[in-house]
Amino acid sequence: MKAVAVFPGKQDSIHLADLPEPGVDDVPDGRGVLVDVLRVGVDGTDKEINDAEYGAAPEDYDFLVTGHESFGRVLEVGSNVRNIEPGDYVVATVRRPGDSIYDRIGTSDMTTDETYRERGINLLHGYLTERYVDDTEFIVGVPAALSEVGVLLEPISIVEKGIEQAYEIQRRLKLWRPARAAVLGAGTLGLLATLALRLRGLDVTTLARTGPPTLNSELVEALGARYLSTREVPLVEAAETYGPFDVVFEATGASVVAFEAMEALGKNGVLVLTGISSGDREIEVPGDRIMLNFVLGNKVAVGTVNANRSYFESGVWDMALAEARYPGWLGRLLTHRVQGLDNYEEMMRLLTEEKDAIKVFVEVAKDAGNGEV
Ligand code: BGC
Ligand code: ZN
């Protein structure tokens, strides 16, 4: 069976590998779900893995199959699988439990373990292959009405976790009615965060470097949110005009922006940090001023990574609501389709060079539709 893989630690080593066929009984106790892969999305993480910045091969392998944003259709289920049947559309989660107490209560996304296993990223093969099998615990059903956009569920789960964590934290305030939010970055995550916050009724200002009009700025405005280029309106200025921001969602991964966000955040506000950069840049910030206002404003900053199945489930609800309120909007994010696993070089090229790409995805197999598998 074909798979797209890298040799971890070796730069630009993306290649076609051969994997043994998985079987539903590879998972013990009849809990296996065998899935035909239909689509796999790629993002900066895949690029960084191919750049040998991180990623490790599973035991007994010298390669790692990449791809952690999956979408597929169930082929076969084990005898103890409930709620999922052959023919169902599904998305698999990414991280698998380790040993910490958080892993043991079903929240491996909050692990305190030093190393963690993530499919397509670290120590476990990913989904850029023809079929995979996994425990039913990690397989989330997607209604057929969302099949065209189901490949966006993994990135949406990241946004859901960030926002749910923010609301959870803000229970400290006894009364929290967030009115205004800023989203920093208008890539896939920034756009999806804009969507999720609009669905919760907030007035959203999304800031990115590029001046409008772009597809990204149009997508922001199609949600009734405001798009600003930071070249024209710096973040702190935007906070004076369109704030105070009760929520700031950071999705650029630039540390300068993260510290600016601490300044732009309103009193009692929450800053959600989701972006990362693998660099080690040192920056200068107005530390005293930021600290003073953070303390005097009772502000919170929270870092958030990965998502467990409950956030995938919330993502399904939000996708359904998005299709009702902004029909066709999610589909417009799927800008670049790569046909088949063989075209992995084209996939990497689009990911690294295509500046206008929002979501690049591989169509691994065509969906037979109509309940046919
Ligand atoms: C994935 C997360 C993962 C993180 C760190 C992201 O690209 O979407 O699921 O936890 O990378 O490896
Ligand atoms: Zn990702």
Side-chain angles (χ1 to χ4, degrees), residues 129-153:
T129 182
E130 295 172 70
R131 278 166 291 284
Y132 70 86
V133 69
D134 214 326
D135 192 294
T136 182
E137 166 68 17
F138 308 118
I139 306 287
V140 180
V142 175
L146 294 175
S147 64
E148 266 311 302
V149 290
V151 72
L152 290 169
L153 184 54

Side-chain angles (χ1 to χ4, degrees), residues 1 74 84 110 118 131 183 196 207 243 270 288 330 362:
M1 179 178 82
V74 176
I84 294 262
M110 298 302 266
E118 291 183 333
R131 278 166 291 284
V183 173
L207 299 102
V270 55
D288 285 355
L330 284 168
V362 180

Side-chain angles (χ1 to χ4, degrees), residues 43 45 68-69 154:
D43 71 359
T45 300
H68 59 279
E69 301 177 6
E154 195 278 342

Side-chain angles (χ1 to χ4, degrees), residues 43-46 48-49 54 68-69 93-95 109 116 118-119 121-122 154-155 157-158 189 274 276 304-307 312:
D43 71 359
T45 300
D46 300 282
E48 284 156 17
I49 292 172
Y54 49 88
H68 59 279
E69 301 177 6
T93 64
V94 177
R95 191 175 288 181
D109 61 312
Y116 42 78
E118 291 183 333
R119 289 198 69 155
I121 301 176
N122 208 38
E154 195 278 342
S157 74
I158 303 293
L189 277 194
T274 68
I276 41 167
T304 167
V305 68
N306 192 251
F312 281 73

Side-chain angles (χ1 to χ4, degrees), residues 15-58:
H15 64 280
L16 219 47
D18 187 38
L19 267 190
E21 274 289 340
V24 78
D25 294 326
D26 296 355
V27 176
D29 305 325
R31 296 178 53 84
V33 178
L34 182 66
V35 179
D36 230 344
V37 178
L38 295 174
R39 289 175 169 187
V40 176
V42 287
D43 71 359
T45 300
D46 300 282
K47 182 184 162 302
E48 284 156 17
I49 292 172
N50 191 41
D51 284 343
E53 284 172 22
Y54 49 88

